[in-house]
């Protein structure tokens, strides 16, 4: 269990307090309000800090693993899984509290499942599908979108809406890019 793998594990663990803080401040959980002694107004900000810290572990674990040659099979499998769990948990919570339309979440989550399946078929055939620039742009805009939606400042609503549309477009573009660049994997479905 090297440092990058520990960071990946921490990211997965941070999903739990993130979800509790983001939903707890809006769900009217009596135990949650009692625990915070009526300060649940700050739970969005606490959730934001947790999300940003978790997102930063995503940046760090990959850089450290590559720079210091600490890439492991655990990391190859768990790092993208931890990313998907964090993003999907955030999107589902944001849907629950009414900050993002469900259809947007369905498109984003569906893309993640499609690419994960695509990568699985590719790896079974010895093909490694590297992350593309479109995928990196998609991730960046999704993270910004999630942060803006957690913060939920009215004056930023137009910016949040634009970022959501850009993230959605990049989600679709990156899906098409992955599939078109790796068409040979589709031959394995026959």
């Amino acid at each position: 269990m090297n440092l990058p793998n520990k960071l990946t594990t921490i990211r997965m663990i941070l999903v739990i307090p993130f979800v509790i803080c983001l939903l707890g401040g809006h769900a009217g959980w009596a135990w949650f309000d009692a625990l915070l002694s009526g300060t649940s107004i700050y739970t969005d900000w606490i959730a934001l800090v947790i999300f940003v810290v978790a997102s930063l572990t995503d940046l760090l674990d990959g850089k450290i693993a590559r720079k210091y040659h600490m890439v492991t099979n655990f990391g190859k499998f768990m790092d993208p899984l931890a990313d998907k769990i964090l993003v999907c948990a955030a999107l589902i919570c944001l849907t629950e509290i009414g900050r993002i339309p469900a259809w947007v979440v369905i498109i984003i989550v569906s893309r993640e499942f499609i690419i994960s399946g695509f990568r699985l078929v590719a790896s079974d055939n010895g093909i490694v599908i590297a992350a593309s620039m479109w995928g990196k742009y998609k991730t960046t805009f999704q993270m910004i979108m999630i942060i803006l939606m957690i913060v939920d400042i009215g004056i930023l609503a137009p910016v949040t809406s634009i970022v959501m549309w850009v993230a959605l477009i990049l989600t679709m573009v990156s899906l098409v890019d992955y599939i078109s660049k790796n068409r040979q994997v589709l031959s394995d479905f026959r």
Side-chain angles (χ1 to χ4, degrees), residues 22 30 55 71:
L22 191 56
S55 298
V71 176

Side-chain angles (χ1 to χ4, degrees), residues 18-19 23 40 43 50 75 83 89 101 107 118 121 182 190:
F18 167 74
V19 167
L23 289 182
S40 62
T43 58
I50 294 169
D83 298 343
I107 290 171
F118 200 71
V121 171
N182 299 283
R190 293 182 192 158

Side-chain angles (χ1 to χ4, degrees), residues 43-189:
T43 58
D44 284 359
W45 293 99
I46 296 168
L48 175 67
V49 169
I50 294 169
F51 183 81
V52 169
V53 168
S55 298
L56 290 175
T57 66
D58 182 29
L59 286 174
L60 287 175
D61 65 4
K63 287 183 187 239
I64 293 169
R66 285 185 295 277
K67 183 174 181 179
Y68 296 104
H69 308 290
M70 301 171 99
V71 176
T72 64
N73 287 334
F74 176 88
K76 287 179 192 176
F77 176 73
M78 294 305 289
D79 180 58
L81 183 62
D83 298 343
K84 286 171 183 38
I85 290 170
L86 177 64
V87 169
C88 289
L91 293 173
I92 291 166
C93 290
L94 290 167
T95 302
E96 173 72 18
I97 62 176
R99 294 190 186 164
I100 189 170
W103 66 269
V104 173
V105 176
I106 290 167
I107 290 171
I108 291 171
V109 171
S110 295
R111 182 259 184 215
E112 297 305 327
F113 278 110
I114 291 166
I115 293 299
S116 293
F118 200 71
R119 281 190 163 149
L120 186 61
V121 171
S123 74
D124 281 349
N125 293 294
I127 301 168
V128 176
I129 299 178
S132 73
M133 286 311 296
W134 289 113
K136 292 177 182 180
Y137 295 146
K138 178 252 336 164
T139 300
T140 300
F141 273 88
Q142 282 180 0
M143 295 299 187
I144 294 168
M145 174 189 75
I146 290 167
I147 288 168
L148 287 170
M149 288 180 175
I150 292 170
V151 171
D152 193 35
I153 297 174
I155 198 166
L156 294 177
V159 173
T160 304
S161 184
I162 291 167
V163 171
M164 181 190 78
W165 280 102
V166 171
L168 195 58
I169 291 165
L170 289 171
T171 296
M172 298 308 296
V173 168
S174 68
L175 173 65
V176 171
D177 180 59
Y178 272 110
I179 292 173
S180 66
K181 285 182 178 173
N182 299 283
R183 286 184 299 274
Q184 75 276 14
V185 174
L186 293 175
S187 66
D188 297 322
F189 289 119

